[in-house]
Each structure stands twice: as structure tokens, then as C-alpha cells.
């Protein structure tokens, strides 16, 4: 059953019911009868249920869109600055409507085209969804809620002498040590699937990358890997090579070669 939201949650995806049509589109409601405006030229049936993002206009009026942004309320991401005004900047949010970052939510001057890590929040004073750089106090830096080897997602926040500060599951502030980087390249704003390395006695958190799962190669994959290894990985043959060249070097049909080579590439064992 497609049950609608009990109440409207600004900055999140909501399931709301169409209750009325107006000159601009439709009125949507939650169970508590609060309304949002859904501006559209498309036709929908009354009582239909839509999954929409609820956001606020500059006049603090609630609006809905079917578009899903790349970052919901209380989540972190890296954003590109698209427009600078005297009151703040607008950043690309992954939907037609840009996200506003007021001057009071900036740590330093923003420049057009640069990228900044922001948290999407609802500013109760402005009655508006905004991006903010002033989020460090909201991160939980000591906790007993996480356990060693627990699966997590983390985003690279900043580089420090012995590694990187990271944001874990949009909630915790943690550390990633340089010694655990393996062959990965870290850039600010990059996201990784990881694990909790340890929660220290004082509650501070260290994280690490998830270990690669070793899969048994098929005979054909093994054959391709061995030929590449014998030639130090340097072979003038790839996925776009002709069937004749593939047959000559690997003694395989193009279909067999492509299937097994893609499996090796997916496991990050070869590049072709």
C-alpha cells in the first residue's frame, strides 16, 4: 500500500496525495492536511500519490518537485558554486532549483566555479533550506554507537599530517590514516565504502577501506591475466580491438575475451 507521509518533511522525499488542481498545477497534502504547491503542466489524477522533494521558495512557501537532488537534508556533499550574489551564493544541487548558501553560512569567501563541502540544513530563522559550511560542531567525534569492522560510507573532508579527516554516514567525524590508503588516491569530497577500524577508549573513530573480495577467476580470465602478466601488462589489444587481433594474441573469440576481460576490470585486476 502506498501510504502517504504523516507530515511534510522539508528537504526530504515525501509521499503526498494530490487533493486539488489550481491554475499553476496541483495542491498536495500529507496525512496532517498540511499543503504544498506542485507546479506542473502535466496532467495527474486527483488522489494520485506522488513521491516528491519538498523545498521552500524565497518567500518560505512550500513547493514540491519530482526531481531528486544529489543531497537530502542533513546530508553532506561537495557542491560547485554557480552564482554569487550580495546575500550569498547558489550551488548546483543536481536539480533545476539551485541550493542557496547565505553569507552567514560561509567560513570564507566563495569563488565562482570552485567546489565546497556543504551540509544541507533547514535554517529555522530564514525558514529555508540552505547549504552550510559551518557544520563541524554537528559532527559526533566521540561515540560508542559504532563497532570495529562495521560497514560505513565516508567522505574525505580535509588532509591532516597523518591522514585525512572524514565524515562517516553523514553523522560522525573520524580519521583515516595514510598507512591504510593502499593504492587509492584521495581527493576532498570523494566518497568510499569503508569499515570502522577501531573505536578508541575515548570514543574517537578510525576508519579504513573495505578489503577487496577475492573472487576465483574463470579459466578464460586466468588465461588473459597470464598473457598480460608475461608481457608486463603491455599489449596492443583491448575491448575495441578487432576479432582478428584478439584471436591472434589471446586465441579467443571477441565475445569470450570481452566477457572475461570486463570481469577482470571490474575486480580492478587489469586495465584494458
Amino acid at each position: 500500500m502506498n501510504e502517504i507521509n504523516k507530515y511534510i518533511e522539508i528537504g526530504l522525499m515525501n509521499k503526498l496525495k494530490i487533493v486539488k488542481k489550481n491554475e499553476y498545477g496541483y495542491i498536495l497534502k500529507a496525512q496532517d492536511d498540511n499543503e504544498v504547491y506542485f507546479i506542473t503542466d502535466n496532467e495527474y489524477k486527483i488522489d494520485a500519490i506522488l513521491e516528491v522533494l519538498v523545498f521552500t521558495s524565497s518567500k518560505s512557501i512550500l513547493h514540491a518537485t519530482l526531481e531528486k537532488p544529489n543531497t537530502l537534508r542533513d546530508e553532506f556533499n561537495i557542491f560547485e558554486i554557480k552564482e554569487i550574489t550580495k546575500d550569498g551564493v547558489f550551488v548546483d544541487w543536481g536539480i533545476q532549483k539551485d541550493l542557496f548558501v547565505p553569507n552567514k553560512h560561509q567560513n570564507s569567501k566563495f569563488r565562482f566555479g570552485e567546489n565546497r563541502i556543504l551540509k544541507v540544513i533547514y535554517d529555522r530563522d530564514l525558514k529555508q533550506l540552505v547549504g552550510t559550511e559551518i557544520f563541524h560542531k554537528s559532527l559526533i567525534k566521540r561515540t560508542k554507537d559504532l563497532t570495529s569492522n562495521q560497514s560505513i560510507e565516508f567522505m574525505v573532508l580535509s588532509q591532516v599530517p597523518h591522514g585525512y579527516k572524514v565524515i562517516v554516514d553523514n553523522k560522525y567525524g573520524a580519521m583515516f590514516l595514510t598507512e591504510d590508503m593502499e593504492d587509492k588516491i584521495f581527493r576532498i569530497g570523494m566518497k568510499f565504502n569503508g569499515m570502522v577500524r577501531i573505536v578508541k577508549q575515548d570514543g574517537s573513530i578510525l576508519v579504513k577501506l573495505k578489503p577487496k573480495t577475492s573472487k576465483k577467476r574463470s579459466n578464460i580470465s586466468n588465461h588473459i591475466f597470464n598473457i598480460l602478466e608475461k608481457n608486463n601488462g603491455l599489449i596492443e589489444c583491448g575491448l575495441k580491438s578487432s576479432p582478428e587481433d584478439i584471436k591472434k594474441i589471446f586465441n579467443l573469440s571477441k565475445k569470450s575475451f570481452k566477457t572475461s576481460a570486463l570481469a577482470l576490470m571490474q575486480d580492478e585486476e587489469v586495465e584494458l
Side-chain angles (χ1 to χ4, degrees), residues 24-204:
Y24 303 110
Y26 296 90
I27 304 292
L28 310 183
K29 277 189 178 181
Q31 287 184 37
D32 65 2
D33 283 338
N34 277 326
E35 299 179 346
V36 302
Y37 292 96
F38 177 48
I39 298 173
T40 180
D41 294 326
N42 296 331
E43 290 292 324
Y44 293 91
K45 291 181 180 178
I46 302 299
D47 290 334
I49 294 172
L50 301 179
E51 186 172 25
V52 294
L53 170 76
V54 176
F55 62 93
T56 47
S57 70
S58 56
K59 296 180 180 178
S60 302
I61 296 170
L62 294 181
H63 286 268
T65 176
L66 291 171
E67 293 181 284
K68 185 173 182 180
N70 54 32
T71 315
L72 296 172
R73 192 191 73 212
D74 297 326
E75 292 181 350
F76 295 84
N77 215 333
I78 189 160
F79 295 84
E80 182 183 353
I81 287 83
K82 290 182 67 178
E83 184 184 350
I84 298 174
T85 71
K86 65 181 178 62
D87 298 316
V89 303
F90 289 89
V91 298
D92 185 358
W93 200 17
I95 60 176
Q96 190 173 357
K97 176 184 167 59
D98 292 328
L99 183 69
F100 183 53
V101 186
N103 289 330
K104 72 172 186 174
H105 284 285
Q106 300 173 25
N107 279 329
S108 58
K109 190 176 180 181
F110 281 36
R111 292 178 178 83
F112 179 79
E114 74 174 344
N115 295 304
R116 294 285 184 102
I117 291 178
L118 302 170
K119 182 180 183 180
V120 179
I121 63 166
Y122 179 69
D123 186 311
R124 295 188 181 279
D125 294 329
L126 296 174
K127 295 182 180 176
Q128 195 176 349
L129 275 174
V130 299
T132 183
E133 265 195 314
I134 305 168
F135 54 72
H136 290 80
K137 287 184 179 179
S138 72
L139 292 171
I140 300 169
K141 299 179 181 66
R142 300 183 192 280
T143 184
K144 295 298 181 184
D145 293 337
L146 298 174
T147 56
S148 294
N149 297 321
Q150 181 176 333
S151 294
I152 49 112
E153 182 184 84
F154 67 87
M155 183 173 73
V156 180
L157 178 59
S158 61
Q159 190 169 10
V160 291
H162 301 296
Y164 293 85
K165 288 185 177 181
V166 299
I167 298 169
V168 174
D169 292 344
N170 290 299
K171 187 175 180 181
Y172 304 98
M175 272 290 299
F176 184 98
L177 300 179
T178 307
E179 64 195 62
D180 291 327
M181 283 186 69
E182 300 172 7
D183 56 350
K184 295 287 184 184
I185 296 172
F186 277 26
R187 293 190 184 92
I188 306 306
M190 288 180 74
K191 294 182 179 180
F192 295 92
N193 290 320
M195 302 173 72
V196 176
R197 187 186 195 207
I198 190 171
V199 178
K200 294 183 178 180
Q201 200 81 23
D202 63 359
S204 58

Side-chain angles (χ1 to χ4, degrees), residues 234-262:
L234 301 172
I235 285 184
E236 292 184 12
C237 187
L239 298 177
K240 293 182 180 179
S241 296
S242 68
E244 292 76 21
D245 286 342
I246 291 169
K247 184 75 175 174
K248 182 180 176 182
I249 295 170
F250 293 99
N251 196 26
L252 295 169
S253 69
K254 180 159 184 173
K255 185 178 179 182
S256 295
F257 170 76
K258 193 172 181 180
T259 301
S260 298
L262 284 170

Side-chain angles (χ1 to χ4, degrees), residues 202-214:
D202 63 359
S204 58
I205 311 154
L206 292 179
V207 300
K208 60 183 179 180
L209 293 166
K210 267 193 172 172
K212 290 179 184 175
T213 54
S214 62

